Amino acid sequence: MPAFLLYLVHTLFPPDTRQPTELGADFMILVTGIGIVFILTRYQKWRWLWREWLTTVDHKRIAIMYLIAAIAMLFRGGVDALMLRTNLALPNVRPIGALEYNEVFTTHGTIMIFFMAMPFIFALFNAVIPLQIGSRDVAFPRLNAMSYWLFAFGAILFNISFVIGGSPNAGWTGYPPLTEVAFNPGPGESYYFLSLLIAGIGTTITGINFLVTIIRMRAPGMTLMRMPMFVWSVLTTSALIIFAFPPLTVALALSLLDRTFGSSFFTLGHGGMPMMYVNLFWLFGHPEVYIVILPAFGIFSEVVPTFSKKRLFGYTTMVISLVSIMFLAYGTWVHHFFTMGAGPTVNAFFGLSTMLIAIPTGVKIFNWIFTMWGGRIRITVAMLYQMAFIPTFVVGGATGIMLSVVPADYQLHNSYWVVAHFHNVLIGGTVFGLLSGLYYWWPKMFGFILNERQGKVAFWLFVIGFWVTFLPQYLLGLEGMTRRMYTYPFGFGWHELNLISTLGAFIMGAGFLALVYNIVWSLRYGERDLTGDPWNGRTLEWSLPSPAPEYNFARIPVVHGVDEFWAMKESGDTLANHLRPQDVKTLELPKNTGMPFMLGLSFFVGGFGMTFLWWPIAIFGGLGVVACLLYAAFDYNDKKHLPADVIRHTERSWGRLQA
Amino acid sequence: MSEGMSEHSEIEAVEPGLEFLRPKFEVEGFPWAQVMGYVFSLLLTFAALLLVVYHAMPPILLLAVILALALGQAGLQLGVFMHLREGRGTAWQLLPLGLAFFIAFALIGTSIWIMLFKTGVS
């Protein structure tokens, strides 16, 4: 028995994880965990947690859970970033060693893309899309909950790698042969493959769910060309997800087979082809960057008209450019590995296709500027992020065009110049967009407004910190600093720029703290949104109370044009002032279910078993998955009725029902 | 009783256009097609795996055979599980299907083109 325990401790906590930072993290997790359990038990909230949240199929609640996860992961990824920057602040001063540095940049990248940006966009999908298209829910509410729990348990599986068994350390791309079991023993890379596979299933399902929702569930009269631009962006994003995630799934699954069962798809020996992994990964990876940027484009297309008090300039060209970006996104992936040397023809083709994407993107930038032109602009936090986005994203896009020039790429590849470029577009584009959307839709999600003054402090810290961090990195790249270095000697002329960059990273960290303070403060003292329309909005979600009731619309609106709610307000004919009691019908709503949570848990148990090659546990988890799916297939009792009287009562309490 | 009836008739149907999503358990029998489709998918998969694991034939022939098995598998999936044979008025599922084929062939074709460099340099 003690031998067994010894084996367990040695496997779960191998010597190289017994570092001060990781023991500190272990301790923090333990304390936080005990704290949460204590509070839930003390205030008898377990039943509430299970009934109201863990089993919910309501898209608005799923949105909130995605958002909480995204902000938590932004914290984790941000702490990783600060560790990386601290290590590079001064030459030869390295608080963390090479191995741990590899682990930290791997988890930083993976978490920020898969477990921060993705849930953040899904939070806004869920919070906004059904309301904007005048629908009571998404097409498949249970699948929606499944998506969330697969994502959540994938994220947990990835995050525990830091404290149990050892983190992945081959970069967020996980290229072979570095991920081969011969060169990278231990559970780290298996954690990476399994958690991304599990979360990837959830993401694919979300893509399908929202594509179907947008195509089939729009309110009567809402033709495709009357959809709000955010809905268009989600439609194109969903299409990208559906076609982009399968290559990733294939690449990860085959790599996992190589590691676990000794196959040789991507191995160096036995006829494997490591570069095929790279090809498949970027077949997913390039559409992925558009998956995270297109929703941001959609958010800006909502924020700009609202705060400029003008219709979006060039609606049709906006749609055309979204759809052409969607198509072009599939045709550029080789620019991530020009230096593989596929030959001049291949590289020239993909260089040109990359440059082409700048055209529709430029159209969008100009359309936003023309929307603001001559508008009555209100400088809110959401609008500030948009105004910071335009110059930032233009710089990021321009440096991207420079990278698409193949000979230049051969010089810049793998340098800090690339690091600066992709942070420029991912933070300047995606994160600014998501934060803009956060401030814009927060009242609709939670029923109160985030304090604007505090929000502006967070904004300035974040944006100034961003430029101080990443502008020096362009110069460092030109001076020859390569990415993923864990330290550097004195005398290369790199130390001043690195110190400035680290300083900027801490300013961004302060911006994050200000954001969290803003949320916590506003939760207690923030202005309540009693009208449901705090920004004088233009689209249907603002026609509902904040937060929207479980059924969203007591009566489904009929849509006559773009900016339907604006037209309603112009004509004085809002949803509320002509809802008569006899218009309200008893509604059929999806019933809460514990199945999605149990399915996620089963995947987690199975994934954990496979990570450590403990087959009984893996098989147990797999059986759990099958059991959950069988239960879901034969559970016919999945609907509940919401009586008309309850709806009438709710609407009357909002003053939205005519006598 | 009549109260309950009237309440029931007040229930709004599922979203217009989504009526087909309602399961029709009464009219449809046991889903033999799906069960057999599942079994045949597994058979085709294991046939391909075993042929490769045991090097059952010369490489070129092996490639041809597993390609044929893959095409059979794809047809089976599309026909049995992907609702290709079900028409509901307009056959507009053909549009995304065409798009899927286009993207799949474009991606596979260009991937082969990209990876051909190995024959060029080695």
Side-chain angles (χ1 to χ4, degrees), chain A residues 377-541:
Chain A
I377 297 178
R378 278 178 291 161
I379 310 287
T380 57
V381 179
M383 192 66 179
L384 273 175
Y385 275 111
Q386 197 276 342
M387 288 159 97
F389 154 82
I390 288 186
T392 314
F393 196 74
V394 166
V395 172
T399 53
I401 301 294
M402 290 161 80
L403 283 169
S404 75
V405 179
V406 181
D409 182 81
Y410 267 69
Q411 300 304 316
L412 297 169
H413 187 82
N414 229 27
S415 74
Y416 253 81
W417 214 80
V418 174
V419 176
H421 157 71
F422 70 71
H423 283 91
N424 207 157
V425 280
L426 281 170
I427 297 179
T430 305
V431 177
F432 284 9
L434 293 171
L435 290 176
S436 177
L438 183 76
Y439 276 89
Y440 182 58
W441 281 308
W442 187 279
K444 190 49 65 190
M445 290 174 79
F446 295 96
F448 62 91
I449 301 164
L450 288 177
N451 182 285
E452 285 280 310
R453 243 173 66 110
Q454 294 166 3
K456 282 174 188 170
V457 172
F459 164 81
W460 285 111
L461 285 171
F462 202 71
V463 171
I464 292 171
F466 165 78
W467 279 108
V468 176
T469 312
F470 293 103
L471 210 53
Q473 293 188 5
Y474 280 114
L475 303 174
L476 281 170
L478 293 178
E479 287 180 16
M481 183 165 165
T482 50
R483 70 193 283 198
R484 294 171 175 171
M485 303 179 78
Y486 81 106
T487 190
Y488 54 92
F490 195 81
F492 279 13
W494 293 348
H495 52 283
E496 298 99 334
L497 289 169
N498 267 310
L499 191 61
I500 296 171
S501 182
T502 302
L503 190 71
F506 278 92
I507 299 176
M508 285 179 87
F512 176 79
L513 289 182
L515 171 74
V516 173
Y517 178 79
N518 187 7
I519 292 173
V520 175
W521 188 91
S522 307
L523 187 66
R524 289 203 62 178
Y525 308 110
E527 187 190 338
R528 304 293 122 171
D529 172 26
L530 301 173
T531 59
D533 182 22
W535 312 121
N536 198 6
R538 310 176 72 84
T539 39
L540 282 175
E541 76 270 30

Side-chain angles (χ1 to χ4, degrees), chain A residues 274-310:
Chain A
M275 285 315 291
M276 188 48 110
Y277 176 92
V278 178
N279 181 59
L280 285 171
F281 184 88
W282 288 111
L283 246 173
F284 144 81
H286 199 78
E288 167 70 12
V289 304
Y290 289 94
I291 289 169
V292 294
I293 197 65
L294 288 185
F297 288 174
I299 291 161
F300 291 133
S301 304
E302 298 297 322
V303 167
V304 174
T306 301
F307 295 114
S308 307
K309 214 175 175 186
K310 260 180 80 185

Side-chain angles (χ1 to χ4, degrees), chain A residues 136 216-217 279 333 585-586, chain B residues 7 10 12 17-18 110-111:
Chain A
R136 294 218 166 91
R216 303 298 312 222
M217 311 257 302
N279 181 59
W333 74 95
K585 302 266 194 284
T586 293
Chain B
E7 192 66 23
E10 256 194 283
E12 201 173 78
L18 284 181
T110 40
S111 290

Side-chain angles (χ1 to χ4, degrees), chain B residues 31-114:
Chain B
W32 282 112
Q34 277 76 10
V35 172
M36 293 315 288
Y38 181 59
V39 171
F40 273 106
S41 310
L42 288 180
L43 283 178
L44 286 168
T45 305
F46 280 105
L49 179 70
L50 291 177
L51 285 178
V52 174
V53 167
Y54 292 105
H55 300 282
M57 29 184 108
I60 296 292
L61 188 62
L62 192 64
L63 270 178
V65 171
I66 58 173
L67 199 62
L69 289 173
L71 284 177
Q73 175 89 274
L76 193 74
Q77 297 286 336
L78 285 171
V80 179
F81 297 111
M82 304 305 282
H83 308 282
L84 193 64
R85 298 171 305 162
E86 296 168 28
R88 289 187 200 95
T90 51
W92 73 282
Q93 71 266 41
L94 291 180
L95 181 75
L97 190 71
L99 181 70
F101 272 111
F102 170 73
I103 290 179
F105 282 111
L107 295 187
I108 293 166
T110 40
S111 290
I112 293 172
W113 181 45
I114 293 159

Side-chain angles (χ1 to χ4, degrees), chain A residues 26-57:
Chain A
D26 287 341
F27 180 71
M28 290 282 284
I29 290 172
L30 204 66
V31 168
T32 319
I34 291 173
I36 292 172
V37 170
F38 175 76
I39 287 173
L40 285 172
T41 313
R42 173 80 177 69
Y43 296 99
Q44 300 181 339
K45 290 285 183 192
W46 284 106
R47 186 182 293 269
W48 165 82
L49 184 70
W50 176 256
R51 279 217 184 138
E52 301 287 319
W53 293 96
L54 303 189
T55 60
T56 188
V57 290

